[in-house]
Amino acid sequence: GVYWGACALDLLGQLHTLDREFVVNFVKSCAQPNGGYAGNVGHDAHLLYTLSAIQVLALFDAMDELDEDAVMQYVQSLQNEDGSFKGDEWGEVDTRFSYCAICCSSLLGRLDQINLPRALAYIKQCENFDGGFGCEPGGESHAGQVFTCVGALAIGD
C-alpha cells in the first residue's frame, strides 16, 4: 500500500500531494512493542511491513520518528542460526525476509548488527542450477526470489 503509492507519486513529482503528517502518523500507529511494524493498526508486526515503514519514513524525510534501536532488535530477533530470517514471530522462512532484513539494516546504516556473512551464505544456498533462486535451499526458482536474492547479495557485498 502506502509505500508503493508514495513511490509512484514521488516518481511523478507529486509526493507533495500526500499529507506528510497524516502518512507519518499512520506509519507510527503501526509500530509494535517488539520494535517491528504491522501492515495496519491492530495487526501483528512483520519484517515486510517493517521495511515498508522505514522506506516510507525515509521517503518523507521522517527517519527521526523511528526508534532505530528497537527496529534493529526486532530484525535481529528474526535471524535464525543458519543465517535465514523469519518474517515474523510465527516462523515462516523465506529469502524475501532475508532481503527485507538486509534492506532494513542497510537503510539504518547497521549492517554490522546482523550476522551478514551467515545471511549471505544462506541466500547463496538457495541458488539453483538454472541460476534462479528459491524461497529456501532446494526451492523452485522464482523471478521474485531472483530480485530479492540478487538485491540482498548486492547490498551485502
Side-chain angles (χ1 to χ4, degrees):
V2 175
Y3 170 70
W4 298 108
C7 279
L9 287 171
D10 191 43
L11 287 170
L12 295 170
Q14 298 297 310
L15 186 61
H16 66 277
T17 63
L18 289 177
D19 181 335
R20 179 187 185 277
E21 185 178 350
F22 179 83
V23 173
V24 170
N25 285 334
F26 171 74
V27 171
K28 288 169 47 178
S29 74
C30 294
Q32 300 299 302
N34 63 5
Y37 284 78
N40 203 344
V41 177
H43 293 208
D44 293 333
H46 196 285
L47 203 44
L48 292 167
Y49 303 122
T50 301
L51 174 57
S52 291
I54 294 169
Q55 292 169 319
V56 169
L57 293 175
L59 196 58
F60 283 93
D61 194 28
M63 293 295 282
D64 58 319
E65 301 287 345
L66 190 70
D67 182 347
E68 294 184 15
D69 291 333
V71 170
M72 283 309 301
Q73 286 179 339
Y74 176 70
V75 171
Q76 290 167 333
S77 76
L78 297 173
Q79 189 167 26
N80 297 311
E81 279 297 313
D82 65 0
S84 65
F85 283 87
K86 301 174 281 207
D88 58 23
E89 65 183 289
W90 308 111
E92 179 188 7
V93 172
D94 187 314
T95 48
R96 293 174 302 157
F97 309 146
S98 297
Y99 171 77
C100 290
I102 290 170
C103 283
C104 287
S105 303
S106 177
L107 287 168
L108 298 178
R110 296 182 180 214
L111 280 169
D112 62 326
Q113 293 184 12
I114 60 172
N115 189 332
L116 185 61
R118 194 167 284 173
L120 298 176
Y122 177 81
I123 292 168
K124 289 175 185 175
Q125 290 175 12
C126 298
E127 186 173 9
N128 292 318
F129 71 93
D130 60 1
F133 290 84
C135 296
E136 57 189 6
E140 178 183 9
S141 293
H142 185 280
Q145 301 309 130
V146 172
F147 172 84
T148 58
C149 291
V150 171
L153 292 170
I155 292 167
D157 187 15

